[in-house]
Amino acid sequence: MTKRSATAPTPFRRTAGLLAGLALGVAVLAGCSSDGADTDCGLDACTVTFDRGVDASASILGVEAKLIGAQGDQVTVEVAGEQLSLTIGQQATEVGGFAVTLESVTDQQVQIRVARNAGG
């Protein structure tokens, strides 16, 4: 007769834990999609890097973010259906329960950060 330690995980428990972890990862990633943009999302915030010169948009945290235009260090984006004008160094602009900031602007890309408001 073989005795098993009560603390040793069984193959079933290991598999169940792995599947639960994968399901959580897929659920988090499933909330983001993009066209002409790259996204880097956590639970409450996403950084979106838009390619300039294309029709760039991303679906993040349950809302749509689009690059409308950029000129110099001023950028116009649409987040949650509202257009915002952002500049580098400006405090976050609040829209639809989110705080939006302009992180960087180059000739090729525009990067914004969209975070859920703590009170929203």
Side-chain angles (χ1 to χ4, degrees):
M1 182 171 184
T2 304
K3 289 187 176 183
R4 286 193 178 190
S5 171
T7 59
T10 65
F12 174 76
R13 284 186 183 163
R14 273 187 243 136
T15 302
L18 177 63
L19 291 176
L22 287 174
L24 178 61
V26 168
V28 169
L29 293 176
C32 298
S33 65
S34 62
D35 184 21
D38 290 322
T39 59
D40 181 12
C41 292
L43 293 177
D44 291 323
C46 288
T47 300
V48 182
T49 305
F50 296 106
D51 293 334
R52 289 181 69 167
V54 299
D55 188 19
S57 65
S59 178
I60 51 165
L61 304 171
V63 296
E64 185 81 13
K66 295 180 189 177
L67 176 62
I68 304 299
Q71 186 171 3
D73 66 347
Q74 186 168 11
V75 172
T76 303
V77 294
E78 183 177 305
V79 177
E82 292 191 41
Q83 283 195 12
L84 311 169
S85 289
L86 306 171
T87 56
I88 297 280
Q90 171 185 341
Q91 285 190 332
T93 301
E94 295 186 22
V95 58
F98 296 92
V100 183
T101 54
L102 178 60
E103 299 288 307
S104 67
V105 180
T106 68
D107 290 342
Q108 287 91 27
Q109 298 179 324
V110 170
Q111 187 175 73
I112 65 169
R113 183 172 189 274
V114 180
R116 293 183 204 267
N117 282 336

